[in-house]
């Protein structure tokens, strides 16, 4: 039997039984909004939403382990080990840490809501979608590849490319008649030839970029820990921009969803432009200088403003 420590501080796990972990959630957290975001594409292949539960395959201690996430009550969520008991107490902590980062449970959103409250544009979005957090991509390789796949294509085709990539080079677990997938590792991709990705309908350039990123990560020349080591998001941005295939939009997307820079600002994002066009009832997408002007009052919270504007498109 596992020990059952009491709840300690916000966000710390406690074990409710031998196969589950419970996380307390901050007051500014909406499980419903989280499900809304996670359900946005039927082509998503790295998690599955069924009813009010989310299923996600994680690698723990070199083994694939399926977790089920559900809302326990208004102040906690439950992580259940769906296909097997946790391999160790460390695995419980690993699952809890992953979900905390994925769902952005560490961030204190109170300052964001104070800033947004009286804003004529952001105030309404903050009120309508209260509790929405930036659903992240904790793994750097996945975040970078997803961003590269999304370059200059619509979201639907980006999901198609990701599904092909994952199901060609990733691993899966079969449970209750459904396949659950793990994203490929850099070591799975680094030795590929460009033509192997072009068969999946990747452009030659994207194939080169992806293989190049995989090789950097496989050798240790690029890592999440390395990017975060200085504690300077601008230094991380400069390092990302040195990598072939990563421009300002890709760098800021990764800063926003993986490295958790609240001031990340993917200003060239088509969804951001469309959201502003729609909300401001403009005849065309606003130019970059106009977007910068609109974002001045939201300084230091640009990433969250972008995420709430994306939400308005659903």
């Amino acid at each position: 039997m596992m020990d059952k420590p009491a709840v300690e501080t916000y966000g710390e796990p406690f074990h409710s039984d031998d196969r589950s972990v419970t996380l307390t959630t901050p007051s500014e957290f909406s499980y419903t909004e989280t499900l809304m975001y996670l359900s946005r594409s039927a082509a998503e292949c790295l998690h599955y939403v069924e009813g009010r539960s989310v299923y996600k395959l994680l690698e723990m201690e070199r083994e694939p382990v399926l977790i089920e996430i559900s809302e326990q009550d208004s102040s906690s969520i439950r992580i259940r080990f769906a296909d097997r008991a946790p391999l160790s107490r460390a695995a419980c902590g690993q699952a809890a840490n992953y979900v905390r980062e994925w769902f952005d449970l560490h961030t204190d959103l109170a300052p964001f809501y104070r800033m947004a409250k009286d804003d004529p544009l952001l105030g309404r979005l903050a009120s309508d979608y209260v509790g929405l957090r930036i659903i992240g991509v904790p793994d750097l390789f996945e975040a970078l590849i997803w961003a590269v796949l999304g370059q200059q294509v619509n979201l639907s085709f980006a999901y198609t490319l990701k599904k092909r990539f994952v199901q060609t080079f990733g691993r899966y677990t079969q449970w209750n008649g459904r396949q659950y997938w793990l994203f490929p590792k850099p070591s799975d991709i680094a030795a590929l030839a460009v033509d192997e990705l072009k068969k999946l309908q990747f452009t030659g350039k994207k194939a080169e970029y992806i293989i190049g990123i995989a090789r950097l990560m496989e050798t240790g020349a690029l890592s999440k820990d390395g990017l975060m080591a200085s504690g300077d998001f601008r230094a991380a941005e400069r390092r990302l921009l040195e990598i072939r295939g990563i421009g300002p939009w890709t760098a800021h997307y990764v800063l926003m969803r993986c490295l958790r820079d609240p001031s990340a600002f993917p200003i060239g994002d088509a969804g951001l432009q469309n959201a502003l066009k729609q909300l401001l009832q403009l005849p065309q997408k606003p130019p970059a200088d106009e977007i910068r002007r609109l974002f001045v009052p939201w300084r230091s919270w640009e990433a969250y403003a972008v995420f709430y504007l994306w939400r308005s498109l659903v």
Side-chain angles (χ1 to χ4, degrees):
M1 289 287 291
M2 288 187 176
D3 294 333
K4 299 177 182 178
V7 181
E8 296 176 3
T9 59
Y10 140 67
E12 291 300 318
F14 68 91
H15 306 296
S16 57
D17 56 51
D18 286 347
R19 294 186 65 144
S20 70
V21 178
T22 299
L23 294 179
T24 55
T25 54
S27 56
E28 302 94 356
F29 171 73
S30 170
Y31 186 72
T32 296
E33 285 293 338
T34 299
L35 290 182
M36 177 71 73
Y37 183 84
L38 294 176
S39 303
R40 65 181 182 151
S41 175
E44 177 59 65
C45 60
L46 291 173
H47 63 261
Y48 185 80
V49 178
E50 184 173 40
R52 298 279 293 177
S53 294
V54 182
Y55 294 87
K56 173 75 174 173
L57 191 64
L58 301 178
E59 184 175 46
M60 299 181 188
E61 301 174 349
R62 300 186 180 181
E63 294 290 336
V65 178
L66 182 66
I67 61 170
E68 176 194 10
I69 306 163
S70 58
E71 186 176 38
Q72 182 154 290
D73 53 42
S74 61
S75 62
S76 64
I77 54 178
R78 179 173 179 252
I79 304 166
R80 184 178 72 90
F81 291 79
D83 62 339
R84 68 180 76 182
L87 304 176
S88 68
R89 184 165 182 151
C92 295
Q94 185 179 345
N97 288 335
Y98 185 92
V99 173
R100 275 201 296 263
E101 185 172 0
W102 189 19
F103 288 1
D104 193 26
L105 299 182
H106 290 297
T107 302
D108 179 7
L109 284 185
F112 171 72
Y113 286 123
R114 285 196 297 270
M115 179 271 296
K117 182 179 178 182
D118 297 321
D119 188 275
L121 179 60
L122 196 56
R124 180 162 62 86
L125 299 180
S127 176
D128 287 349
Y129 311 130
V130 65
L132 173 67
R133 289 166 177 265
I134 296 179
I135 307 305
V137 185
D139 179 72
L140 178 63
F141 185 58
E142 180 187 338
L144 284 165
I145 301 313
W146 176 228
V148 169
L149 292 179
Q151 293 173 357
Q152 300 180 330
V153 299
N154 62 46
L155 191 60
S156 176
F157 188 57
Y159 272 111
T160 297
L161 291 176
K162 182 171 81 166
K163 189 171 186 177
R164 291 172 184 169
F165 182 74
V166 169
Q167 295 187 351
T168 301
F169 303 109
R171 291 188 295 152
Y172 72 89
T173 286
Q174 188 98 10
W175 185 73
N176 281 1
R178 183 177 291 125
Q179 292 178 345
Y180 296 89
W181 290 85
L182 289 172
F183 198 79
K185 297 179 180 180
S187 58
D188 299 321
I189 308 302
L192 294 180
V194 166
D195 284 347
E196 292 178 84
L197 291 179
K198 289 175 70 175
K199 291 175 185 176
L200 306 182
Q201 220 174 340
F202 288 36
T203 65
K205 289 295 185 185
K206 282 190 180 180
E208 291 172 9
Y209 300 158
I210 287 168
I211 293 169
I213 290 167
R215 288 173 179 170
L216 286 173
M217 295 198 67
E218 173 67 3
T219 62
L222 175 66
S223 69
K224 187 174 181 178
D225 287 345
L227 290 173
M228 298 295 288
S230 70
D232 181 354
F233 286 123
R234 301 290 68 82
E237 178 186 359
R238 289 192 294 272
R239 174 67 184 106
L240 288 170
L241 290 172
E242 292 172 356
I243 299 168
R244 185 166 178 257
I246 298 180
W249 177 84
T250 303
H252 277 261
Y253 186 88
V254 172
L255 283 162
M256 174 183 179
R257 296 201 61 205
C258 182
L259 304 186
R260 295 298 186 183
D261 177 5
S263 64
F265 189 9
I267 192 170
D269 185 80
L272 167 62
Q273 296 165 356
N274 285 328
L276 289 170
K277 176 186 174 184
Q278 176 180 289
L279 289 169
L280 298 172
Q281 299 182 341
L282 301 174
Q284 57 191 14
K285 295 178 183 178
D289 58 349
E290 176 63 11
I291 296 175
R292 287 192 186 93
R293 186 188 67 78
L294 286 168
F295 269 70
V296 167
W298 311 332
R299 188 165 288 131
S300 300
W301 289 100
E302 289 91 341
Y304 289 85
V306 168
F307 208 73
Y308 274 67
L309 285 161
W310 285 346
R311 172 65 177 85
S312 71
L313 292 171
V314 177

